[in-house]
């Protein structure tokens, strides 16, 4: 197995080589191994995928269980793994910093901190408090003995605040606060993505598999995007197939879905020893 320092260096390089790479999101060790077998270069955890696998809503799992899952994924392959650390599992800058340190202990070489509060009445942190949280997380990340890539997320678009100007302003301030990668999930058009990319001087992550966007990795790379993730989309795709098979059994009393299922032998071969 490679060291955490080697994984961290590889992860940094992926962001710097000039073309976009795909960082898919497994939700457990098994799906992580399958993605590694298929040749992906890095992975990221998904809070939604984990929550769904536990029968819960996204955002309700908590830090301890999330980090345990992240540790299992990070230990399942030799690939660099970045963690979906939600809002750091607390409001304070100190909590965001501690979450970064705990993510590193779990074997991750990157992680994202978002500016969503988790509260309906005030879904997004005020800008000054959000900056303090990213700054604390960045200081913790950059004090580690290996490269840890901190991603700062501006969550406006996921909470009905489709304010591109404010989103770009937030990303710029997070850049100044020390974030290594910037991310505004929910951007829906080429123009919005291009505006974000051209407004910052850090690598930008774009979320695909969400909102009906249909850009290829080549098109995103031409826009200047450096990293592409899919959040809970792979898990939702798997659950869609599961529900379709269950519906066939319940409504038709047939089992034709099994013809489309992966063979046990193929799955075992992908999981490795």
């Amino acid at each position: 197995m490679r060291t955490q320092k080697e994984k961290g260096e590889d992860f940094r390089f992926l962001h710097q080589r000039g073309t976009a790479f795909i960082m898919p999101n497994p939700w457990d060790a098994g799906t992580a191994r399958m993605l590694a077998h298929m040749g992906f270069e890095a992975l990221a955890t998904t809070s939604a995928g984990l929550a769904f696998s536990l029968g819960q809503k996204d955002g309700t799992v908590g830090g301890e269980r999330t980090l345990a899952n992240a540790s299992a994924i990070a230990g399942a392959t030799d690939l660099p793994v970045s963690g979906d650390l939600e809002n750091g599992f607390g409001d304070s800058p100190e909590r965001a910093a501690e979450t970064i340190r705990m993510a590193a202990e779990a074997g991750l070489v990157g992680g994202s901190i978002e500016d969503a509060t988790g509260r309906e009445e005030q879904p997004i942190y005020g800008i000054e408090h959000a900056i303090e949280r990213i700054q604390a997380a960045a200081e913790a990340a950059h004090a580690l003995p290996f490269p840890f890539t901190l991603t700062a997320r501006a969550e406006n678009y996921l909470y009905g605040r489709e304010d591109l100007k404010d989103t770009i302003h937030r990303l710029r301030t997070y850049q100044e606060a020390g974030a290594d990668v910037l991310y505004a999930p929910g951007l829906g058009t080429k123009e919005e993505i291009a505006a974000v990319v051209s407004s910052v001087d850090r690598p930008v992550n774009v979320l695909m598999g969400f909102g009906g966007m249909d850009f290829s990795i080549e098109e995103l790379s031409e826009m200047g995007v450096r990293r592409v993730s899919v959040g809970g989309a792979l898990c939702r795709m798997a659950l869609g197939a599961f529900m379709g098979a269950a519906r066939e059994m319940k409504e038709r009393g047939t089992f034709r879905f099994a013809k489309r299922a992966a063979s046990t032998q193929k799955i075992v071969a992908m999981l490795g020893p």
Side-chain angles (χ1 to χ4, degrees), residues 4-5 8 12 85 96-111 136-150 180:
Q4 198 167 15
K5 182 175 183 291
R12 282 286 175 88
L85 304 176
E98 181 60 20
T99 294
I100 294 298
R101 289 188 284 267
M102 293 172 67
E105 291 175 4
L108 301 179
V109 296
E139 290 174 356
H142 300 155
L144 292 168
F146 64 91
F148 187 100
T149 300
L150 174 68
D180 302 302

Side-chain angles (χ1 to χ4, degrees), residues 245-259:
R247 191 176 300 114
E248 179 192 336
M249 290 190 290
K250 182 67 172 62
E251 296 177 358
R252 302 179 187 176
T254 60
F255 308 91
R256 296 187 181 93
F257 69 87
K259 296 178 181 179

Side-chain angles (χ1 to χ4, degrees), residues 126-144:
I127 186 64
E128 294 303 324
H129 187 55
I131 293 169
E132 291 174 1
R133 298 175 76 256
I134 295 301
Q135 187 171 26
E139 290 174 356
H142 300 155
L144 292 168

Side-chain angles (χ1 to χ4, degrees), residues 33-105:
R33 286 186 177 177
M34 294 176 79
L35 291 167
H37 181 87
M38 295 176 74
F40 289 98
E41 299 172 289
L43 305 173
T45 68
T46 161
S47 64
L50 171 60
F52 298 157
S53 73
L54 296 173
Q56 297 179 220
K57 294 190 295 185
D58 192 12
T60 65
V61 174
E64 183 176 353
R65 204 162 189 179
T66 296
L67 289 169
N69 174 256
S71 180
I73 289 173
T77 82
D78 243 356
L79 296 181
V81 178
S82 182
D84 179 349
L85 304 176
E86 302 181 43
N87 70 346
F89 312 111
D91 293 325
S92 71
E94 293 78 14
R95 179 57 181 164
E98 181 60 20
T99 294
I100 294 298
R101 289 188 284 267
M102 293 172 67
E105 291 175 4

Side-chain angles (χ1 to χ4, degrees), residues 199-220:
S199 298
V200 299
D201 62 5
R202 295 288 189 278
V204 171
N205 184 100
V206 164
L207 176 67
M208 292 299 292
F210 175 89
M213 286 201 301
D214 189 23
F215 302 120
S216 68
I217 188 66
E218 290 80 10
E219 290 171 322
L220 290 163

Side-chain angles (χ1 to χ4, degrees), residues 147-220:
F148 187 100
T149 300
L150 174 68
T151 299
R153 294 175 47 149
E155 301 286 288
N156 275 343
Y157 277 66
L158 295 187
Y159 290 87
R161 295 171 42 147
E162 296 186 4
D163 185 336
L164 184 60
K165 182 177 180 181
D166 181 65
T167 298
I168 289 174
H169 174 64
R170 284 174 174 269
L171 292 176
R172 282 175 168 170
T173 61
Y174 301 160
Q175 171 181 297
E176 294 168 3
D180 302 302
V181 176
L182 302 171
Y183 181 16
L187 298 177
T189 69
K190 180 177 181 179
E191 290 73 22
E192 289 172 334
I193 295 170
V196 167
V197 170
S198 65
S199 298
V200 299
D201 62 5
R202 295 288 189 278
V204 171
N205 184 100
V206 164
L207 176 67
M208 292 299 292
F210 175 89
M213 286 201 301
D214 189 23
F215 302 120
S216 68
I217 188 66
E218 290 80 10
E219 290 171 322
L220 290 163

